[in-house]
Amino acid sequence: PPPPPSPPKRPPPHAASTSSLPCTITVAATALTLLLAAGLILARAGGGARRPPPGDDAFPVLPARFLEEMVGSAPGEMREVVERLAGDAMEGRFPGTAGEALSAGFVAARLGEFGVLPAGVEEGAEAAVAGEGFVQEVPMQAVNVSLGGAGVPARIAGVGFGIGEDAAFGSEDPRVGEVRLDGEALWFGGFCISAPESPWRWDDFRGEEASVRGKVVVCLGNQPEEFDEKVRDAMERKPEPGKRVLTYFGRWMYKLENLRRLRAKGILLVHTEASYSYPWSVVKNYAAVETLMLRDDPDARGEGTADPPPPLLLRGTLRGSARLAQALGFPAVAAVGGTPAGIDALFAEAAAPGFKVRPLVLPNGRDPVTMTVALKFERRELRGKNIVARVPRLAEAHKEKAARQAWEAVTAEGISIAERLRSIPAPDILLAAMAAPLERAEAVIVSAHHDHLGMKVGARGEDVIFNGALDNAAGVAKLLVLAKLFARLAKAGLCCKRDVIFLVPTAEEAGLLGSFHYAANPVAAPLASTVAIVNFDGMNIWGETDDVVGLGDDLSEMGALLRAVAAAEGQTVSPDPDPDQGNLYRSDQFPLLRRGVPALKLTHGAAFRGRDAGYHERVVGDYNRRVYHSTGDDVAYINGFEAPYEAGALQEGRVAARTV
């Protein structure tokens, strides 16, 4: 993609600087360079001149009494929320279903009970009193894929590929009822990366962009290892030795965007567990339910371009199995790690310097590898439900009073971040920080998605409900704990200088669709005045840790804030323990981050207290391999661990409360 514009300037995630003037996010130069090179931040300019970051005494105070009350009630509240949202009655909370409506209704009712307002509704308004107006509808289309004729839905070089076991298929074109291809010649695009002006100087289509126009292109997951090495060299906090570092170029979402931009007819992504960081069973489970797409996706339709590209007619994922190796003319022999040698050969070819897109040919070197497809698509319109609420900022007239109340609370109960770091700030500094007017109304978002995968067709007695307990009933439970806390602080006149928005998106599991829709239609506050988003996806049910992780913390001043918060909790900030998974790009902070909003995805580290060094891999690794996006992610799984809501979960809640 063309080089993006200069990084947007943003107000800080702090309450205010000690000079009472708002400052803008100071971005870590190296990290932002790498991010911009990946085409990640796509631009929304904010106002304001760049100023020095605030000192420690600019951090606001969270009165100890409120924090202690939150800690006392949170475990029971989180358990109740998880049991409700992950119960069988919710039927997996798939967007557009009765289960999703129940989930959205439950979350909205809880927010209303706390006194949190619906987005865009003023305090005391009739809708606020009635607890209405929390839902932002997300127009989507659901697609069921079925066989379009006799036999199997697809053949490559005569080898059949069935839906679920061998492949997953779809189409991005909302008008298409069927896709039929007969003898379609396939092209091999390597990793399908176009980044000639990035630090990697990598371009799989060098001079051959036109050759893939109107073609179906095979793309490998992930990225060349050369990318990992350069990112690792640029990182201040090095990840664990041997861990790969996934950039946005390695994500399947980028490859779709790039092939769309190149006006290809279709894309076939090759999945291996090593390149995707999750097993084929995850893809298979997706293939067992409807595929979702936004009805009005500004990114997919090429918003802002003079000649937007058409949607991809065919979008597929192929299992990197012996069957695929056989179809491409390789021996179906397993290599180290279980990946067939032929598939490994494709990865080796694509990673070699100088690789360029080419037609796929059979071993004789002459005949093209062709594909025959016969697929039918049944489409239905639906409206998913984002929940959007806010704790409004204090009116200017009340800020000085609130600042004095806050100071009294500090001196009476006084445990603050600033105290832990140095000393309690003087009253005049606190007054300046809280009472100083902002140049514009600003907001901070707290988010956690409430949807999951719904239900699948199964045999009698088989568990067919994807309950999504850890992913992400648990994340919503943490969000509701914070919503209650901040509503109480606001009622006491102790919060806040900015609006605190609680965003509970839908369709995260379908590709962050709810948060992409919110980013394009920010009903609670313009993105230009949204200074930060803090996102939850999951919960630490495995025990307390000595460290905390904030994905995105190296891209803004929020990293400094998180380090101060962690110190107040007796923790340190660690880099992502799983950098090979690309988690920064896989949850609801990403659609706002790519539009320039500073973001943190808050999660736990890998240094579990009282546990050996391999504990993280045993419990978290087991979840990722065996439980993630399976019917096993249920309440019983969470309850199988000791004190799942009382230890690590509470730690995360305290860190999140202080950070927000």
Side-chain angles (χ1 to χ4, degrees):
S6 299
K9 296 183 176 67
R10 292 286 178 197
H14 312 298
S17 67
T18 55
S19 64
S20 82
L21 294 173
C23 63
T24 56
I25 286 293
T26 301
V27 183
T30 302
L32 182 66
T33 300
L34 295 172
L35 198 62
L36 290 175
L40 179 57
I41 293 182
L42 299 181
R44 290 293 186 276
R50 199 177 287 277
R51 302 186 189 282
D56 297 338
D57 50 10
F59 290 112
V61 170
L62 183 58
R65 174 170 61 88
F66 288 88
L67 192 59
E68 289 166 2
E69 289 176 2
M70 182 197 84
V71 167
S73 62
E77 293 170 354
M78 290 190 291
R79 181 184 297 274
E80 180 192 359
V81 170
V82 170
E83 290 178 351
R84 286 288 299 274
L85 291 181
D88 286 352
M90 296 285 181
E91 298 181 336
R93 310 187 303 279
F94 192 80
T97 65
E100 188 213 26
L102 286 173
S103 172
F106 173 79
V107 174
R110 278 295 167 93
L111 291 168
E113 290 170 12
F114 300 154
V116 181
L117 298 178
V121 175
E122 295 302 320
E123 194 167 5
E126 187 175 335
V129 174
E132 300 171 352
F134 288 99
V135 174
Q136 178 191 37
E137 292 192 334
V138 182
M140 291 182 280
Q141 187 179 85
V143 185
N144 265 314
V145 185
S146 61
L147 182 63
V152 293
R155 290 186 180 276
I156 297 175
V159 179
F161 287 77
I163 295 175
E165 290 302 322
D166 310 305
F169 294 109
S171 174
E172 290 189 345
D173 194 330
R175 304 159 298 178
V176 167
E178 65 177 11
V179 170
R180 292 187 179 275
L181 303 176
D182 188 10
E184 180 77 26
L186 300 181
W187 283 64
F188 179 48
F191 294 102
C192 293
I193 295 172
S194 299
E197 298 182 14
S198 75
W200 299 277
R201 299 284 190 264
W202 193 276
D203 188 359
D204 289 321
F205 301 93
R206 59 190 78 200
E208 297 290 341
E209 289 84 355
S211 64
V212 298
R213 188 179 183 119
K215 301 295 195 301
V216 177
V217 184
V218 175
C219 299
L220 303 176
N222 219 294
Q223 64 199 24
E225 290 193 16
E226 178 181 328
F227 280 40
D228 305 44
E229 296 164 6
K230 290 189 177 181
V231 174
R232 184 185 296 275
D233 290 343
M235 296 173 75
E236 289 185 16
R237 294 172 299 160
K238 309 297 184 187
E240 182 182 331
K243 285 277 190 179
R244 300 200 62 185
V245 184
L246 189 69
T247 70
Y248 186 51
F249 288 124
R251 285 286 290 155
W252 59 264
M253 192 178 291
Y254 163 78
K255 298 172 196 293
L256 296 181
E257 293 170 357
N258 198 33
L259 268 292
R260 204 182 292 134
R261 183 185 65 84
L262 295 172
R263 299 176 183 272
K265 180 188 293 183
I267 183 172
L268 296 173
L269 295 159
V270 176
H271 172 280
T272 66
E273 186 166 346
S275 64
Y276 270 66
S277 80
Y278 50 78
W280 176 256
S281 60
V282 173
V283 182
K284 182 179 179 180
N285 286 335
Y286 271 115
V289 299
E290 291 177 303
T291 301
L292 296 178
M293 53 193 291
L294 286 177
R295 285 293 294 160
D296 188 29
D297 184 351
D299 293 309
R301 70 169 186 260
E303 183 182 72
T305 59
D307 184 21
L312 295 168
L313 178 67
L314 178 67
R315 169 178 160 179
T317 304
L318 304 175
R319 187 176 187 176
S321 63
R323 181 177 294 273
L324 179 59
Q326 177 189 353
L328 299 179
F330 293 104
V333 179
V336 177
T339 304
I343 305 302
D344 280 346
L346 289 179
F347 275 90
E349 177 190 352
F355 170 82
K356 187 166 65 174
V357 62
R358 63 172 178 83
L360 273 173
V361 294
L362 293 173
N364 61 24
R366 300 185 308 272
D367 298 329
V369 175
T370 61
M371 183 179 195
T372 299
V373 175
L375 298 169
K376 283 188 176 180
F377 302 100
E378 295 179 10
R379 303 177 182 273
R380 66 184 181 91
E381 306 299 315
L382 62 90
R383 289 182 175 270
K385 299 179 186 299
N386 286 348
I387 306 300
V388 192
R390 69 188 181 97
V391 173
R393 62 192 178 279
L394 292 172
E396 295 294 336
H398 299 309
K399 283 182 180 172
E400 184 170 340
K401 176 184 175 183
R404 293 190 183 280
Q405 288 176 328
W407 174 252
E408 291 167 2
V410 171
T411 54
E413 311 174 40
I415 298 179
S416 69
I417 295 171
E419 179 186 23
R420 294 284 184 94
L421 294 177
R422 190 167 62 221
S423 62
I424 296 177
D428 59 328
I429 294 177
L430 188 64
L431 286 170
M434 288 197 67
L438 293 170
E439 292 178 352
R440 56 188 175 184
E442 294 175 347
V444 173
I445 294 177
V446 181
S447 63
H449 73 91
H450 72 106
D451 68 291
H452 201 55
L453 299 177
M455 301 173 66
K456 65 178 181 178
V457 176
R460 182 184 297 274
E462 182 184 356
D463 185 359
V464 297
I465 300 176
F466 296 98
N467 298 93
L470 199 56
D471 182 13
N472 189 38
V476 176
K478 286 192 295 187
L479 177 143
L480 289 174
V481 165
L482 260 66
K484 179 181 178 181
L485 170 67
F486 280 89
R488 293 185 66 245
L489 287 168
K491 187 175 181 180
L494 300 176
C495 183
C496 286
K497 186 168 181 173
R498 298 182 170 94
D499 283 356
V500 182
I501 296 167
F502 294 94
L503 171 63
V504 188
T506 188
E508 190 267 0
E509 306 292 11
L512 319 182
L513 301 186
S515 48
F516 270 115
H517 181 74
Y518 179 87
N521 306 275
V523 294
L527 294 192
S529 59
T530 301
V531 302
I533 176 171
V534 177
N535 183 50
F536 306 137
D537 199 350
M539 177 187 286
N540 177 10
I541 61 172
W542 300 288
E544 290 188 340
T545 60
D546 288 325
D547 55 345
V548 62
V549 171
L551 302 182
D553 67 331
D554 55 344
L555 304 177
S556 74
E557 286 174 2
M558 290 178 73
L561 187 152
L562 183 60
R563 287 191 292 275
V565 166
E569 288 292 331
Q571 294 177 287
T572 58
V573 178
S574 292
D576 184 359
D578 300 302
D580 55 322
Q581 296 182 13
N583 288 317
L584 179 63
Y585 321 118
R586 289 172 59 177
S587 196
D588 286 308
Q589 71 282 340
F590 177 63
L592 283 82
L593 176 62
R594 70 181 293 164
R595 287 176 177 254
V597 177
L600 280 182
K601 181 188 173 187
L602 275 182
T603 186
H604 58 88
F608 284 87
R609 290 177 179 169
R611 302 286 187 173
D612 62 86
Y615 181 73
H616 173 267
E617 176 56 29
R618 288 200 303 278
V619 293
V620 180
D622 175 70
Y623 171 79
N624 289 331
R625 290 186 298 270
R626 186 179 60 84
V627 182
Y628 172 68
H629 283 191
S630 77
T631 55
D633 183 5
D634 55 18
V635 171
Y637 171 76
I638 292 179
N639 290 342
F641 293 90
E642 182 181 356
Y645 301 101
E646 287 78 13
L650 266 187
Q651 245 189 342
E652 288 183 327
R654 290 173 62 96
V655 168
R658 291 183 183 274
T659 302
V660 175

